[in-house]
Structure formats: structure tokens, C-alpha cells
Amino acid sequence: MKILHIIRSVNPEGGGPIEAVIQLSLTMQSFGHVVEILSLDEEDGRLNLKECPLTVHAKGPGIGTYGYSKKFIPWLSAHAKDYDAFIVNGIWQYHSFAAHSVLKKLNSPYYLFTHGMLDPWFKHQYPLKHLKKCLYWFWGEYPVIRDAAGVLFTCEEEKVLARQSFWPYRCNENVVNFGTAGHVGDAAEQKREFLDSFPDLRNKPFLLYLSRIHPKKGVDLLLEAFAQRAGLRPDLQLVVAGPDQVGWQSELQDLAAKLGITDRVTWTGMLKGDLKWGAYHAAEAFILPSHQENFGIVVAEALSCRLPVLISNKVNIWQEIANADAGLVADDTLTGCGELLDRWRQQDNERRIHMGCNALNCFKDYFEITSAAKSLLAIISK
């Protein structure tokens, strides 16, 4: 089968969706399928395209946040016949609207991953932006969802939450396994490389936040909760790793200075490859107090490294984590974030090792990429 993934960009700074597309696609290719990507990236061979291990048809640049490009529809109209299945990743941008326009006209079924973009958290957090989306919903995005052969959700909770954001809402809902390939490489060497890059962390325990630096991720809560307990473990450090997608990092660094923990927080920027895996293996635990997370590829990656995860109950796979005893779960509030830190501090070494073993088993049982790819193939092959 020849499959086309349609997504706004292959830039890894976009977060989990493109990482998931790549991991799923490489696994599908190992099964004998051909997988390519259609995006709104520029056609100039930039690093984003060179780093992507898949064939990318870049038909941008997309203009503005919406991403309009006059090249997109003509290319898809001319080449749709070359593919057996289409998977649209993400909504609220031109690529989903344009894909629907072409594929419905050609009577070509497509499947849609919303990647958490229908979560009602956005409605409550950004009411004015939600009103604007409501005006666009009926004629713009609702047809994309309504006409999809299947709208794909990564867990039951994401599916249920998606029903609460807009009206009308009717679609063919499907819950598919989701995951990542997990850790690859020499863990000891990767850990050494990370600590060589950030020598101030050598021989110091630290908690690892690794995700986009974005208000929905709760980094501000993490800094405040960490500062409130800084004296309880004077040796403990906090590592904040990830791209500063919306220009928020300087404000957070000012907050850290105000809280008196500047020397306790390391800002690494985005970590990739061995440096990323080294951070996981060097950390004491992974922490993500997010306000909204439909899945969390980084959570699955941490689990694959035997790393216990401390997450909020707004990370939609929290129930799997709790059931597997692979980490700790609390509310996405300052109190909840503090609870995660307090409960983790109270775990003895034996308990932490046991939780790490559970983390790896949880990854294998729920989030390993092979079962995720098979689950998706079973749906799009119908």
C-alpha cells in the first residue's frame, strides 16, 4: 500500500505530531508499505527536509499561521491517484481544509488525526480565539471531520473530550494504538555525551522536563512548585529542555530569578538524537505538568528509558501510567505539581527502581510503535 501523510510541517520543533508520523511511517515501511509526506514547508531543501527520513513533497511556504499555499491543491489533485490511503494530521490550518477539498471531490477516503486539537481546554483557556474558531467551524473545519472515513484518536479520553468543544459534531470515531519506537542507541554513551554537554549537571540528580516551552505545558507551575521545595533537596536540579516556540522562555527565566532558583535550573534548548536520549538516561524522573496533552510522545519515550514519569491528569494517557504504576499523577495546578514533587521525594530507592521497571513494561504493553502501526494499518486498510 502507498500512503500519503498530510501535515503542516516536518519541522521537529512542531512537537509530537511529526515525530509520530515519522515513527509510524518507518515502521509501516518495514512491513513493505510505501509512505510519503505532503507538507507546507518551503521547497528549498532546508535542514527540516534533509533531516526527515521520508520522502517529503514540500508545497509551501504556507503563508501566515493558517498556511495558505497556491501550490498545495494543484499538486494533490494531480498526484492523489498515486496513493492508496491518505492520513491528514492536524486541523485549523490550510492543509486540512485543502486536503478535504481535493479528496472529497475525487471520492478518495481519508483519515484524520486531530492530535488533541479538539480538546475543550483550549475553549476555556482562550475564549475569544474559540469564538473565532466557532465562526470558522461550520463551513471550514467541521466538513473535514464529518467527511473523514475515520477520525483517529490516540486514547479513549481524547475521543470523549473532543465531543465537548464544538457544535455540530458528528464523525466516524476510531481509537487507535499510538506510540513511538522508543529508546535506540548506547544508553551509557548517550548519558556521557549529555553530561559532557552540560557538565554542571554531572553527579547531580535532576528532574527532566522535555517538551515545547508553551503555556499549556505548565512550566510556570513547575518552577513555582520546585522553588517552594528547593530547600528540601538542595542538590536537586531541574532541566527544562525544548524549543521556545512562542517566545516564553525569557519570561520563565525571569520567574526563576524572582523565585531564587536560577542556579538550580538548566535550560538546554531543543535536544535531539543522542543528546535527547542521554537526558532521559541521566535524569532521576521525567516531569510534565501539562494542562492539555492528547498523548505525549515524550512520555512514551521516557517510559522506554525506564524513567518514571510525573504527569498531570490532563495528559490523556495518565490512566495507563497509573494502572501500570509507572509514575505519579496529580492535578494540573500548583498544588498538584507540588504533590508530584513531594510524592516523588518520599519514594525510596527500591521503590524508584521498581517504578522504572514498570515504566519499561508499560511502554512495551501500550506504546511500542509496532503495535501502533499495525493498529493504524488495520483501520486504513478496510
Side-chain angles (χ1 to χ4, degrees):
M1 184 160 53
K2 191 172 183 181
I3 302 163
L4 183 68
H5 273 279
I6 301 171
I7 193 168
R8 169 65 188 264
S9 175
V10 299
N11 186 344
E13 292 189 5
I18 184 56
E19 179 66 19
V21 167
I22 291 172
Q23 295 293 341
L24 284 167
S25 299
L26 291 176
T27 304
M28 288 178 175
Q29 289 191 157
S30 73
F31 297 158
H33 302 284
V34 175
V35 188
E36 298 176 353
I37 295 176
L38 171 61
S39 79
L40 289 167
D41 293 293
E42 293 185 49
E43 301 176 90
D44 61 1
R46 290 188 305 173
L47 187 61
N48 292 341
L49 302 182
K50 292 179 180 178
E51 286 186 348
C52 186
L54 302 167
T55 296
V56 180
H57 304 283
K59 296 303 164 187
I63 299 173
T65 56
Y66 185 59
Y68 170 77
S69 172
K70 65 181 181 181
K71 303 173 187 176
F72 189 93
I73 283 181
W75 188 92
L76 184 56
S77 298
H79 294 86
K81 63 181 182 300
D82 300 332
Y83 299 92
D84 303 302
F86 304 88
I87 303 173
V88 179
N89 293 270
I91 56 175
W92 302 120
Q93 293 177 320
Y94 180 68
H95 71 281
S96 61
F97 176 83
H100 169 261
S101 299
V102 173
L103 298 176
K104 182 171 176 57
K105 183 177 180 181
L106 297 176
N107 198 28
S108 298
Y110 64 91
Y111 296 83
L112 174 69
F113 271 117
T114 65
H115 292 296
M117 296 178 188
L118 289 177
D119 193 292
W121 177 81
F122 295 99
K123 175 172 68 173
H124 303 306
Q125 187 70 18
Y126 304 107
L128 293 179
K129 186 179 289 187
H130 179 74
L131 178 60
K132 180 180 177 181
K133 286 183 175 181
C134 286
L135 299 175
Y136 176 72
W137 172 257
F138 188 79
W139 65 269
E141 212 60 64
Y142 175 54
V144 178
I145 290 167
R146 179 197 61 207
D147 296 337
V151 177
L152 309 175
F153 299 101
T154 58
C155 60
E156 188 70 23
E157 186 151 343
E158 183 195 1
K159 181 186 77 172
V160 172
L161 288 171
R163 300 168 180 169
Q164 302 173 22
S165 292
F166 295 94
W167 184 91
Y169 180 81
R170 177 171 56 84
C171 65
N172 182 21
E173 300 171 325
N174 295 264
V175 176
V176 297
N177 292 345
F178 208 60
T180 183
H183 173 250
V184 291
D186 184 322
E189 178 62 24
Q190 290 164 339
K191 179 179 177 179
R192 183 198 63 76
E193 182 176 341
F194 174 77
L195 293 175
D196 284 348
S197 299
F198 302 95
D200 289 345
L201 293 170
R202 191 173 282 117
N203 299 320
K204 293 179 181 178
F206 67 86
L207 300 178
L208 174 66
Y209 167 94
L210 195 157
S211 193
R212 291 179 297 136
I213 297 176
H214 188 281
K216 82 166 188 172
K217 303 287 186 173
V219 192
D220 51 342
L221 301 181
L222 177 56
L223 292 174
E224 291 187 47
F226 185 84
Q228 289 174 358
R229 293 154 179 82
L232 298 176
R233 288 189 62 186
D235 60 336
L236 184 65
Q237 302 289 305
L238 177 64
V239 172
V240 180
D244 184 17
Q245 196 175 50
V246 295
W248 197 33
Q249 181 170 316
S250 61
E251 183 178 332
L252 292 172
Q253 289 173 320
D254 289 343
L255 175 62
K258 180 180 178 181
L259 294 169
I261 56 171
T262 295
D263 61 342
R264 303 280 296 274
V265 184
T266 299
W267 306 82
T268 69
M270 184 174 181
L271 298 177
K272 295 188 287 186
D274 286 342
L275 275 180
K276 177 185 72 172
W277 294 118
Y280 285 127
H281 285 291
E284 185 177 277
F286 174 84
I287 187 162
L288 183 65
S290 187
H291 299 299
Q292 187 276 323
E293 203 79 40
N294 71 300
F295 180 79
I297 289 290
V298 290
V299 179
E301 289 180 344
L303 294 170
S304 78
C305 296
R306 294 179 181 265
L307 192 62
V309 296
L310 318 180
I311 60 175
S312 76
N313 55 12
K314 299 303 185 294
V315 178
N316 285 344
I317 57 172
W318 70 269
Q319 290 178 317
E320 288 85 346
I321 305 301
N323 291 341
D325 190 24
L328 304 174
V329 181
D331 291 337
D332 63 322
T333 61
L334 180 58
T335 300
C337 193
E339 181 185 335
L340 289 176
L341 298 176
D342 290 339
R343 289 169 59 197
W344 177 250
R345 189 178 67 252
Q346 294 161 7
Q347 309 296 313
D348 60 28
N349 190 54
E350 182 179 350
R351 175 80 179 114
R352 292 180 181 185
I353 292 173
H354 179 69
M355 200 177 291
C357 292
N358 290 343
L360 180 58
N361 290 332
C362 180
F363 170 77
K364 291 178 178 178
D365 290 343
Y366 295 106
F367 308 126
E368 201 278 323
I369 194 66
T370 301
S371 61
K374 289 179 178 178
S375 175
L376 180 55
L377 284 169
I379 289 176
I380 68 175
S381 299
K382 291 179 182 178

